[in-house]
């Protein structure tokens, strides 16, 4: 893109959804003036002006939950989304496999929660016996490997090849990865693609030493979005030793890369039937995992949260099942710190007001509500009025922040906005329409709480061609983004 001026006035721009025409001046990465168009005087000579011809200016959008390396890599992997059965996946693998060359064939995006047949290594062995195959589930909580791949990671005796939760992460980490420079290049491309959809920032929950990874990348390229890099428990002591706190600038371009929250887990996921719930999963009533799994014991969760909070690192606690969300909220009540609960998919009614009472942000992914409605209807039967309860959370005073959990769903905030507003992504009626959000409320959740274009705020802005208030759900999903600005610099658009 062309060089960005240090100061710029945007003229004839409409302020927010349904807002008036105004002029907005940006200088040194911040908004310095906002005046109605009819009251604007003559600008100082020589300062650039840009006529936006009545387009709508919104606060920059965030994806408050991504796994950026996974998302960037998934864009280069075999796409398994929408496959109706394990056998259908095997046929796709057969088509893609090619001649054995020793490299791992990666796929991503299968959802087995509704399949009549189960993933098994023998299905993959039958179509690709010699080349390692590793397929990752859409929720990132399971991996399906053939025998050649199992042998590669020292698990040749695994009975099925379907590996879940922590063991799945261990297995995938042990597989050969693309070179670091290749992955970093994919991430740079993915961040530009995010900017093209109006994204000005992400919270990157990629597993690993995410802070160190972003410190390295920031010396190689300027990301097109702000990045808040999560800390995982294995790196907590090192972060504390360095004196890092949530929000601290790190890296070569500290204005864009900051330390994020400490990521902790209470349970698994819905699709894998490992989300921790009060009621048993249908068909699993007499098994050890009938209620899901407890990833972190409550006492250990409190200990980790207390240690992090004492050193200025805010926790972000993964909780999907209703029992898991209670455990997470109890921990926040015990520690009395700021932080987030990620997903909050199934909630007990008594827990709804606790988010606001404790000041805990609900980091939610509205696209999951429409993607997982059928899985929820089966495995959370009789409880789905409490599932993905965004309307109830907002009514109870909770602060919602939207994310995608990419690659679980695409890194595109307009898909989240449309799903939150419509509660459907196909021809079917809205699923639990009582939980729908208004367009203005959805936009605020997609902008991490920013509702207005205000003097003094960072110049993180998005210009769209259609007023969201006039858009139907299909138009929201495909929202034409004219330009995106992050920290006063154009990151997408014709300028």
């Amino acid at each position: 893109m062309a060089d960005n001026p240090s100061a710029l006035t945007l003229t004839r721009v409409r302020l927010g959804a349904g807002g008036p025409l105004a002029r907005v001046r940006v200088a040194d990465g911040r908004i310095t003036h906002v005046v109605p168009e009819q009251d604007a005087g003559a600008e100082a000579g020589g300062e650039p002006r840009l006529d936006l011809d009545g387009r709508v200016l919104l606060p920059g959008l965030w994806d408050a939950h991504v796994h950026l390396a996974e998302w960037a890599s998934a864009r280069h992997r075999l796409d398994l989304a929408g496959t109706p059965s394990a056998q259908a996946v095997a046929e796709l693998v057969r088509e893609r496999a090619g001649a054995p060359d020793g490299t791992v064939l990666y796929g991503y995006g299968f959802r087995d929660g509704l399949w009549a047949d189960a993933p098994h290594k023998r299905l993959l062995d039958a179509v690709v016996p010699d080349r390692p195959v590793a397929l990752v589930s859409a929720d990132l909580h399971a991996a399906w490997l053939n025998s050649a791949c199992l042998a590669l990671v020292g698990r040749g005796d695994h009975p099925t090849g379907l590996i879940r939760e922590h063991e799945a992460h261990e297995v995938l980490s042990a597989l050969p990865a693309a070179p670091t420079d290749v992955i970093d290049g994919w991430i740079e491309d993915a961040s530009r693609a995010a900017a093209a959809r109006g994204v000005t920032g992400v919270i990157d929950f990629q597993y690993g030493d995410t802070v160190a990874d972003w410190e390295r990348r920031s010396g190689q390229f300027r990301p097109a979005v702000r990045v808040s890099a999560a800390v995982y428990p294995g790196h907590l002591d090192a972060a504390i030793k360095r004196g890092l706190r949530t929000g601290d600038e790190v890296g070569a371009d500290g204005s864009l890369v900051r330390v994020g929250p400490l990521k902790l887990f209470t349970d698994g996921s819905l699709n894998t039937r490992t989300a921790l719930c009060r009621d048993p999963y249908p068909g699993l009533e007499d098994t050890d995992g009938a209620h899901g799994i407890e990833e972190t014991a409550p006492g250990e969760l409190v200990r980790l949260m207390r240690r992090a909070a004492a050193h200025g690192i805010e926790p972000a606690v993964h909780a999907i099942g209703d029992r898991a969300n209670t455990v997470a909220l109890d921990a926040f009540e015990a520690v009395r710190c700021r932080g987030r609960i990620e997903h909050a998919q199934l909630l007990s009614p008594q827990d709804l007001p606790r988010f606001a009472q404790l000041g805990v942000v609900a980091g939610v992914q509205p696209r999951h509500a429409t993607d997982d409605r059928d899985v929820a209807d089966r495995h959370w039967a009789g409880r789905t009025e409490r599932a993905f309860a965004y309307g109830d959370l907002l009514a109870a005073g909770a602060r919602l922040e939207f994310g995608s959990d990419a690659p679980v769903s695409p890194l595109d905030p307009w898909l989240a906005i449309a799903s939150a507003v419509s509660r459907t992504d196909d021809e079917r009626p809205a699923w639990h329409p009582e939980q729908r959000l208004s367009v203005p409320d959805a936009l605020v959740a997609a902008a991490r709480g920013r509702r207005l274009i205000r003097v003094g705020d960072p110049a993180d802005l998005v210009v769209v061609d259609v007023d969201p208030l006039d858009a139907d759900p299909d138009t929201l999903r495909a929202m034409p983004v004219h330009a995106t600005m992050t920290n006063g610099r154009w990151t997408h658009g014709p300028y």
Side-chain angles (χ1 to χ4, degrees), residues 30-325:
R30 296 217 165 249
I31 299 168
T32 61
H33 292 90
V34 179
V35 295
E37 182 67 42
Q38 65 269 23
D39 296 341
E43 287 82 4
E47 183 166 300
R49 288 184 291 171
L50 179 61
D51 185 348
L52 288 173
D53 195 25
R55 293 183 173 89
V56 176
L57 186 70
L58 300 169
L61 305 180
W62 274 71
D63 192 313
H65 192 124
V66 304
H67 304 266
L68 206 48
E70 290 281 355
W71 166 240
S73 299
R75 298 171 81 218
H76 297 267
R77 291 177 173 176
L78 175 61
D79 184 2
L80 304 175
T83 45
S85 66
Q87 187 61 52
V89 169
E91 290 305 315
L92 276 179
V93 170
R94 183 202 302 271
E95 294 170 9
R96 176 65 67 89
D101 61 1
T103 62
V104 178
L105 172 62
Y106 287 99
Y108 166 75
F110 74 86
R111 297 173 183 269
D112 62 327
L114 296 174
W115 289 353
D117 54 350
H120 199 284
K121 62 183 180 182
R122 63 172 173 265
L123 290 173
L124 299 179
D125 292 346
V127 296
V128 186
D130 301 320
R131 183 180 179 185
V133 177
L135 310 178
V136 183
S137 65
D139 59 11
L140 304 179
H141 284 252
W144 177 14
L145 280 62
N146 69 350
S147 293
C149 201
L150 288 166
L152 189 62
V153 295
R155 285 174 167 80
D157 59 350
H158 194 279
T160 67
L162 183 65
I163 303 172
R164 300 189 185 277
E165 301 304 336
H166 279 311
E167 187 182 2
H169 293 298
E170 291 173 357
V171 163
L172 294 171
S173 297
L175 288 171
T180 298
D181 61 332
V182 171
I183 292 177
D184 286 352
W186 290 348
I187 288 172
E188 184 178 9
D189 289 344
S191 71
R192 286 198 296 262
R197 298 304 295 145
V199 176
T200 59
V202 302
I203 303 179
D204 187 4
F205 284 105
Q206 181 64 38
Y207 184 76
D209 192 352
T210 316
V211 173
D213 288 341
W214 274 106
E215 287 179 304
R216 182 191 69 251
R217 291 180 193 128
S218 67
Q220 299 169 355
F221 63 88
R222 176 185 288 202
V225 298
R226 296 183 187 273
V227 177
S228 178
V231 178
Y232 276 81
H235 302 281
L236 177 59
D237 288 345
I240 290 172
K241 186 174 181 179
R242 289 181 59 186
L244 297 180
R245 302 168 68 90
T246 297
D248 282 356
E249 298 179 356
V250 293
D253 188 346
S255 63
L256 292 183
V257 179
R258 295 177 181 263
V259 178
L262 172 70
K263 181 66 180 293
L264 298 168
F265 289 83
T266 62
D267 65 347
S269 71
L270 166 59
N271 183 70
T272 55
R273 281 79 75 199
T274 52
L276 187 61
C277 298
R278 298 183 185 280
D279 300 301
Y281 288 92
L284 300 179
E285 290 85 353
D286 297 324
T287 68
D288 290 340
H291 294 265
I293 63 171
E294 180 184 86
E295 284 278 9
T296 307
E300 177 66 1
L301 183 67
V302 168
R303 185 190 73 80
L304 287 166
M305 290 173 61
R306 184 167 285 139
R307 175 162 168 73
H311 294 275
I313 300 176
E314 298 175 6
V317 183
H318 167 113
I320 288 183
D322 50 1
R323 186 171 162 191
N325 276 278

Side-chain angles (χ1 to χ4, degrees), residues 319-322 325 343-353 355 362-370 376 380 383-402 419-421 423 431-438 445:
I320 288 183
D322 50 1
N325 276 278
H343 308 305
Q345 288 187 1
L346 185 67
L347 298 171
S348 298
Q350 62 269 25
D351 281 337
L352 287 166
F355 285 83
V364 299
Q365 299 77 40
R367 182 68 183 265
H368 293 2
T370 50
W380 288 344
R383 293 169 279 165
T384 53
E385 76 282 355
R386 302 189 277 114
F388 309 96
Y390 308 140
D392 286 349
L393 277 167
L394 198 65
R399 171 170 168 160
L400 304 182
E401 293 187 4
F402 285 175
S419 292
V421 169
R423 297 287 289 200
W431 187 66
H432 290 289
E434 71 277 8
Q435 299 296 347
R436 286 185 292 205
L437 300 185
S438 69

